[in-house]
Every structure is written in structure tokens, then in C-alpha cells.
Amino acid sequence: MKLAERMSRIGTETAFEVLVRARALEAQGRKVIHLEIGEPDFATPSHIIEAAKRALEEGWTHYGPTQGYPDLREAVAAYISRTRGIRVGPERVAVVPGGKPIIFFPMLALLEPGDEVIYPNPGFPIYESMIRFLGAVPVPMPLVEERGFAMDLNLLRDRLNDRTRMLILNSPQNPTGGVIPREDLGAIAEMVRDRDLMVLSDEIYSRIYYGEPPASIAGFPGMLEKTILLDGFSKTYAMTGWRIGYGVMPPWLVEAVNKLMVNSNSCTASFTQRAALAALNGPQEDVDRMVAEFRRRRDAFCDGLNSLPGFRCARPHGAFYAFPNIEATGFSSRELAERLLEEAGVACLSGTAFGAYGEGYLRFSYANSYENLMQAIERIRAWMAVPARG
Ligand code: PLP
């Protein structure tokens, strides 16, 4: 039995593969510092765990509404209205198992073979994977290091045409930590407002930023009807394994996502929705503490990277990734990432794991302890000091 042809076009996330290789080295007794995986190293705040336990005991163990419980959708709508400066109601909210389904379902619902999709490159690999899987045409937008990894707006203008059906934005961004400036979002909104396309705005890192709060394109005039806003609980509340997230989109698209949900998951787990409600309505100090700690690590880790020969790392404005330029080391991204894992015991990702325009960069997640991050810097320094490599 052969797999369907479309399966030859679906991609994957290298982070999980590198994790498996790192674990194999550990099984041989090697010590590896894990800077490859993109999830907070903090525990889920205890009041959220308590809410989930209570929900299980109270019997939130059955099917629920496909679109999500009304009170959670109300809370999400109020939260998005407050944080994005827009007014949305619960009818626009789809609760799903994680942020990823808000990439999967709306793309499945909207794209025909041959449709063009503009997406950031380097960027989250699932975008390109899904574009290819659906037979749509990937149109990569290189990000500009000198502009804090924002897009070149003139290039974007050139790439928009009558076949463009979707534009994907991600801010704060994985893997660069870039935040799209408000003025850029305004200019992008101008460019796309009268076009027959949807913007997928991936805002999963919306609460992890180190300057001004990131703006959402959904807040610009006329854009609410053209935007699929993706957010969730995985990164903000350290809930990656709970599998709960949401999308905010026009009601006609919510309806399509509901149909895809009925055909796949039926609904998001009921007790995790009670926990998510507690996350949104409860104390936020744990989030603030986590972000403050990420900032401390970012500053020290980027300084450390900049002290390594051939590394250049701008301080990212959001998320928890450092994306240093390593061209001056003389290594390709892939070779350097592989040798740092095998020979220095530091697991990171090649920039090319995020697309062809990631060549010349590495991605390090600083969701690891301050001590481990500093140790990683010293391991890389010692490895590079061997004359044949430095
Ligand atoms: N979008 C981006 C940019 C991400 O980096 C991730 C996770 O790494 C996701 C979406 C998926 O989030 P979730 O774990 O909630 O599905």
C-alpha cells in the first residue's frame, strides 16, 4: 500500500528530530545542553493546574461544543478585544487543540492548488509544509537582519499579485525574535486591504516581548474581516503539552473550521478549557516573572554569543530565541549546528531548518536555565578555540 502523493509534499519540524538525536547522545552517557526546543522551561502556573484538577473532579470529562465552551470563547473575545484594541465577540472565536490547528484548518479551508501564499523565510516550518501539502505555491519573504528581521516592504509589494490568496505574518517571530513594527503593519494593511486574500497573523508569542507590546494587523481599519489571528496558551502560560489554543476570524471561516474540527477532533478537551479559562481570568504574575527571566537570559546569552569569534547577534525584541549570524565562522549553518551537537554537546538548530533564507544563522532557544546558557557559551568557545576550527 502506497502513501497518497500529497504525503510526499508535507514537511516536518526539525526541532523534534534534533531532540531525538540529542537524546541518543545522552543515552551513550554524553551531556547535552538543550537549546533546540521551543517551549518555556517553566512549570504551568499552579492555579491553572488546580483548575484542571477541579474540572476533572467536577466531571468536565465529556465531549463539549465543537467551537469551544461559550464562557471560554467570551473570555478569549474580551482578552483579544482588550489587548489588540478591537471589538470582537465570541462568535469569531474557535477554540482548538493548540495554536497549530489555526494554521492547518484555515489553510485547508481556504487554499486551492496554484494559489500563492507569501510567508516569512526563515519562518516556522509548518507554514511552508502546509502550503506545499495543499498544492499551493510558496512565495518566501526573506527577512532583513538590519531591520530587526522585518520584511522588505518594497519586495512584499512586488510579490503581491492576483494569485496571492494568503499572507502569513508572525510577530514576535520564530526563529528570529523579530517584532514587526507598527508602521510596517499599517503599510502592509494598506497593501492588502482591497485584495482578495486573507492574512494569517500568528501571534502565539504575543505576551513574550521586551519593548513596546507588539501590534496586531487585525487592529488596523478594515483588517478584522481579512485576518485570522492565531494565539493560545502554549507559550504564554507554559502549557505546550496541554494542547489548547484559538483563532479569531470572521464567522464564515469559523464555520468552516468547525466542520474540519467535527471531522477530526470533535472538540478540544473539556477540562483543559476550564484550565484555559483560569489562565485568562486568573493572576498574571507568573507570566510577568517568566518574561522578566527570559529578558535576563536574552541579555546575557546574546552578549555571550557576541563574544564568540564569527558570531553576531542582535538582541531580539520578542519570543525566546536568539538567531545569531554565523557567516564569519566559515561554516555552513547545518555543519556548525551538527558539530556543536556532536562535538561540543550544545543542541541548537540550523537556520535552514526554517527555510532556505536561514542560511548563515543558527537558532538557540534560551528557554533553559541561566547557568546552562552560560555553560553553552563556554562550550562553544572552547570548541572554536581548537585552531583548525576557529
Ligand atoms: N506558531 C509558532 C510561530 C510557533 O513557534 C509555534 C510553536 O512552536 C506554534 C505556532 C504552535 O503552537 P502550539 O504548540 O500551541 O500548537
Side-chain angles (χ1 to χ4, degrees):
M1 182 71 201
K2 276 200 338 239
L3 291 173
E5 181 277 332
R6 70 179 84 89
M7 288 306 293
S8 67
R9 289 183 268 116
I10 200 161
T12 185
E13 249 189 282
T14 314
F16 291 103
E17 290 166 12
V18 173
L19 180 64
V20 168
R21 282 185 49 212
R23 293 258 185 263
L25 286 173
E26 286 173 317
Q28 296 163 20
R30 300 272 302 282
K31 182 163 178 332
V32 176
I33 301 178
H34 290 274
L35 306 183
E36 75 278 41
I37 270 284
E39 65 172 343
D41 55 318
F42 297 87
T44 303
S46 56
H47 72 277
I48 300 175
I49 293 179
E50 287 309 317
K53 284 191 198 160
R54 219 168 31 247
L56 284 170
E57 279 159 10
E58 286 171 358
W60 294 89
T61 51
H62 298 273
Y63 292 131
T66 296
Q67 198 178 332
Y69 282 100
D71 55 354
L72 177 58
R73 289 191 289 110
E74 288 275 0
V76 168
Y79 170 74
I80 291 296
S81 300
R82 196 166 70 239
T83 51
R84 309 317 202 264
I86 48 181
R87 282 172 69 92
V88 296
E91 72 286 356
R92 288 178 180 263
V93 177
V95 176
V96 290
K100 262 182 185 166
I102 297 298
I103 304 173
F104 196 86
F105 293 142
M107 288 180 81
L108 206 53
L110 288 168
L111 297 177
E112 298 280 9
D115 286 349
E116 294 190 6
V117 181
I118 302 178
Y119 67 105
N121 188 325
F124 190 45
I126 301 307
Y127 309 142
E128 189 176 321
S129 165
M130 280 303 296
I131 297 166
R132 291 188 188 282
F133 183 56
L134 296 171
V137 180
V139 181
M141 271 301 297
L143 302 179
V144 188
E145 184 185 343
E146 299 72 37
R147 295 196 71 229
F149 294 105
M151 288 179 181
D152 175 340
L153 296 182
N154 289 324
L155 191 61
L156 177 59
R157 194 173 285 109
D158 288 348
R159 299 222 161 146
L160 284 164
N161 64 49
D162 291 343
R163 291 180 302 281
T164 312
R165 282 285 95 77
M166 185 177 278
L167 166 66
I168 303 179
L169 303 176
N170 175 210
S171 174
Q173 212 237 358
N174 177 10
T176 63
V179 172
I180 305 177
R182 174 176 283 279
E183 317 78 77
D184 283 22
L185 289 174
I188 296 169
E190 285 299 316
M191 281 184 225
V192 302
R193 189 173 291 121
D194 297 324
R195 290 184 172 274
D196 187 18
L197 59 72
M198 291 297 286
V199 177
L200 172 60
S201 181
D202 184 342
E203 304 178 16
I204 196 84
Y205 297 98
S206 60
R207 293 280 287 278
I208 305 173
Y209 58 88
Y210 311 105
E212 289 292 302
S216 171
I217 195 159
F220 287 80
M223 289 307 295
L224 190 55
E225 299 308 322
K226 303 190 83 80
T227 305
I228 304 152
L229 192 161
L230 178 166
D231 203 341
F233 301 87
S234 300
K235 316 287 175 174
T236 302
Y237 299 101
M239 290 174 71
T240 47
W242 294 67
R243 307 315 301 143
I244 182 158
Y246 55 84
V248 178
M249 63 197 88
W252 59 268
L253 190 52
V254 168
E255 216 174 288
V257 167
N258 284 345
K259 285 187 187 152
L260 292 167
M261 274 290 285
V262 173
N263 277 272
S264 52
N265 297 287
S266 296
C267 63
T268 306
S270 296
F271 69 97
T272 64
Q273 293 192 56
R274 304 326 287 166
L277 190 61
L280 279 182
N281 290 343
Q284 303 294 307
E285 285 78 10
D286 288 302
V287 182
D288 298 339
R289 258 196 300 277
M290 178 178 79
V291 175
E293 175 59 15
F294 279 148
R295 177 197 294 270
R296 183 172 86 101
R297 295 177 192 173
R298 173 197 71 153
D299 292 352
F301 189 61
C302 289
D303 287 352
L305 289 173
N306 280 319
S307 74
L308 297 171
F311 280 63
R312 177 180 76 224
C313 185
R315 270 189 193 179
H317 296 294
F320 39 72
Y321 307 112
F323 200 64
N325 183 311
I326 52 89
E327 277 164 337
T329 61
F331 289 102
S332 73
S333 298
R334 208 187 149 87
E335 184 182 3
L336 189 55
E338 274 175 16
R339 292 187 64 182
L340 288 179
L341 173 60
E342 303 281 342
E343 299 170 24
V346 176
C348 66
L349 299 183
S350 165
T352 53
F354 301 90
Y357 290 98
E359 182 54 58
Y361 299 89
L362 294 180
R363 190 197 79 169
F364 293 90
S365 160
Y366 48 87
N368 201 323
S369 72
Y370 189 91
E371 294 67 31
N372 281 344
L373 289 166
M374 294 303 102
Q375 205 188 337
I377 296 286
E378 293 319 313
R379 283 187 182 199
I380 300 172
R381 193 191 313 286
W383 182 81
M384 300 210 51
V386 174
R389 297 173 192 140

